[in-house]
């Protein structure tokens, strides 16, 4: 199952990368793999179209290779600064079309 989780994580991150313009600043706040349902839950920190920080939640279904947007919530500048100091960055840019449901 570890191989499935690792390879599906890579596929999930590739889908997420495709959502953003190259060089856009995005951090991976959290990720969780659900082995029973075979899906990833990923929470990202990024700026919205107004330039404000927000937390975006996604679910990646391993079997269908579909990425689902699960909502967004605003984040204060202080909380965003804390997340940016501790969370890993998501490399961004388009390499293949994303499938978002």
């Amino acid at each position: 199952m570890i191989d499935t989780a690792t390879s599906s994580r890579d596929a999930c991150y590739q889908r997420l990368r495709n959502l953003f313009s190259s060089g856009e600043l995005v951090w991976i706040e959290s990720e969780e793999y659900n082995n029973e349902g075979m899906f990833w839950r990923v929470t990202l920190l990024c700026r919205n179209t107004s330039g404000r920080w927000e937390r975006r939640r996604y679910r990646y279904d391993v079997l269908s290779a579909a990425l689902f947007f699960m909502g967004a919530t605003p984040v204060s500048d202080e909380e965003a600064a804390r997340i940016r100091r501790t969370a890993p960055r998501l490399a961004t840019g388009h390499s293949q079309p994303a499938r978002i449901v």
Side-chain angles (χ1 to χ4, degrees), residues 20 25-29 43-47 53-56 75-76 79-84 87:
F20 300 94
L25 301 177
V26 180
W27 283 264
I28 304 163
E29 184 179 7
T43 302
L44 303 178
L45 173 74
C46 57
R47 292 192 186 266
W53 290 108
E54 69 181 10
R55 179 178 284 127
R56 293 185 192 169
V75 174
S76 70
E79 186 176 5
R82 179 190 56 78
I83 294 167
R84 292 189 334 258

Side-chain angles (χ1 to χ4, degrees), residues 1-11 33 35 38 40 62:
M1 281 300 167
I2 292 175
D3 289 336
T4 300
T6 301
S7 63
S8 64
R9 180 181 182 260
D10 293 343
Y33 181 68
N35 194 38
M38 295 188 68
W40 281 94
V62 174

Side-chain angles (χ1 to χ4, degrees), residues 65-78:
L67 183 65
F68 299 89
F69 176 68
M70 305 302 287
T73 55
V75 174
S76 70
D77 289 339
E78 295 78 21

